[in-house]
């Protein structure tokens, strides 16, 4: 009996040896993830209808969560306000560049995953449509503060469906900024609280090239100085990968 058992084991091992190594490895496609939605809200403190756009964003975030719908308030354009000696302004030169690049003509106007510009009543339907799609990559971000002056940021992107060719963009946002805002009735609200305000492009105005083959990951690290006018406790990092077809995936993380 022992002799027979040994023979059987020998035959089984020998049979396995006839299988080429390449034939033993079965490729398993990475699991795709649901696409997050980047909603770029082109807004301004001198825009009387912009608070209505903010109300739509608040409803969308309440419905889907702030990691599924990632809103960014980009102040600039003709109704943006850069501030003066007595009044805080939130518009930036980069915000103006974005506004002009997309040939926008009114405010508020939104880009939902960088598709055609939409008026705020159209945002909800566009967001719902984008959320139903899968993403061809996963994207994770981490951000820590060194004292009150420096942010350390890490971004990891993994391709899950084909080769990704695009650009990786990293932004700093700030919540809880109290600054004047014109309201729909024409009044000026000096105690208006602005959230998800675009503050800085970490890796250049248009990001940087990134190519990832399916199943592979790319990791990038950045250091960002904290401006004296920012409240570090209210900062967050948004990262996204985009190409000519739009935003492929986005993610948001607070500063730890």
């Amino acid at each position: 009996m022992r002799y027979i058992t040994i023979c059987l084991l020998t035959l089984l091992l020998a049979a396995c040896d006839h299988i080429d190594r390449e034939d033993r490895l079965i490729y398993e496609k990475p699991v795709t993830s649901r696409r997050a939605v980047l909603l770029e809200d082109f807004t301004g403190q001198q825009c009387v209808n912009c608070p209505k756009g903010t109300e739509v964003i608040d409803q969308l975030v309440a419905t889907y969560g702030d990691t599924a719908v990632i809103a960014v308030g980009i102040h600039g354009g003709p109704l943006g306000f850069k501030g003066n000696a007595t009044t805080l302004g939130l518009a930036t030169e980069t915000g103006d560049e974005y506004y002009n690049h997309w040939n926008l003509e009114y405010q508020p106007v939104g880009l939902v995953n960088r598709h055609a510009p939409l008026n705020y009543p159209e945002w909800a339907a566009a967001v719902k449509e984008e959320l139903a799609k899968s993403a061809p990559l996963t994207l994770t971000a981490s951000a820590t503060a060194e004292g009150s002056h420096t942010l350390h940021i890490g971004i990891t992107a993994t391709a899950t469906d084909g080769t990704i060719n695009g650009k990786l963009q990293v932004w700093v946002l700030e919540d809880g900024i109290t600054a004047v805002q014109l309201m729909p009735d024409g009044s000026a609200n000096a105690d208006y609280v602005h959230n998800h305000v675009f503050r800085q492009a970490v890796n250049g105005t248009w990001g940087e090239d990134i190519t990832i083959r399916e199943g592979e990951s790319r990791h990038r690290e950045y250091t960002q100085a904290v401006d004296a006018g920012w409240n570090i406790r209210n900062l967050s990092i948004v990262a996204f990968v985009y190409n000519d077809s739009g935003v492929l995936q986005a993610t948001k993380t607070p500063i730890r």
Side-chain angles (χ1 to χ4, degrees):
M1 178 64 70
R2 181 179 179 185
Y3 173 77
I4 294 173
T5 302
I6 292 173
C7 288
L8 288 173
L9 289 172
T10 302
L11 287 171
L12 288 172
L13 291 172
C16 289
D17 287 341
H18 289 298
I19 302 174
D20 292 334
R21 181 175 298 273
E22 290 77 13
D23 295 334
R24 299 178 198 171
L25 301 176
I26 300 174
Y27 175 74
E28 292 188 6
K29 191 176 184 68
V31 176
T32 57
S33 60
R34 179 168 293 181
R35 191 187 304 252
V37 175
L38 179 72
L39 201 173
E40 295 167 88
D41 170 24
F42 288 87
T43 187
Q45 290 167 267
Q46 301 176 105
C47 166
V48 295
N49 286 320
C50 285
K52 294 181 180 179
T54 300
E55 290 178 1
V56 172
I57 289 174
D58 289 344
Q59 292 168 3
L60 289 168
V61 170
T63 300
Y64 300 111
D66 66 354
T67 57
V69 178
I70 300 171
V72 181
I74 301 177
H75 287 252
L79 300 179
F81 176 61
K82 291 185 172 67
N84 54 39
T86 59
T87 306
L88 175 64
L90 301 176
T92 64
E93 295 295 336
T94 306
D96 285 340
E97 185 172 349
Y98 290 145
Y99 184 91
N100 293 327
H101 174 81
W102 301 115
N103 297 315
L104 304 178
E105 298 179 348
Y106 58 91
Q107 291 165 277
V109 60
L111 297 179
V112 177
N113 273 349
R114 291 217 163 151
H115 297 309
L118 297 172
N119 202 351
Y120 64 89
E122 303 171 290
W123 294 352
V127 165
K128 184 177 180 179
E129 181 179 348
E130 287 297 300
L131 284 173
K133 300 177 181 179
S134 61
L137 75 157
T138 61
L139 199 58
T140 59
S142 63
T144 58
E146 180 182 325
S148 58
H149 303 291
T150 306
L151 303 178
H152 296 287
I153 302 163
I155 309 295
T156 301
T158 303
T160 58
D161 188 11
T163 296
I164 302 300
N165 289 296
K167 287 185 175 291
L168 171 65
Q169 180 78 75
V170 184
W171 286 343
V172 179
L173 272 56
E174 184 175 355
D175 290 323
I177 304 172
T178 301
V180 66
Q181 173 67 50
L182 292 186
M183 302 302 290
D185 63 2
S187 65
N189 183 352
D191 298 317
Y192 191 89
V193 177
H194 300 261
N195 290 313
H196 45 76
V197 174
F198 170 83
R199 284 303 207 178
Q200 179 76 40
V202 174
N203 59 341
T205 302
W206 299 105
E208 57 193 303
D209 292 338
I210 189 168
T211 298
I212 323 168
R213 293 191 300 179
E214 184 178 297
E216 293 184 345
S217 297
R218 294 286 183 269
H219 182 75
R220 303 280 173 86
E221 294 188 357
Y222 309 93
T223 299
Q224 172 65 48
V226 177
D227 188 274
W230 303 349
N231 183 340
I232 196 169
R233 293 173 297 179
N234 292 340
L235 298 181
S236 59
I237 298 298
V238 165
F240 58 97
V241 173
Y242 72 98
N243 58 23
D244 290 342
S245 66
V247 174
L248 305 179
Q249 185 60 297
T251 189
K252 180 179 180 180
T253 187
I255 307 301
R256 304 295 183 185

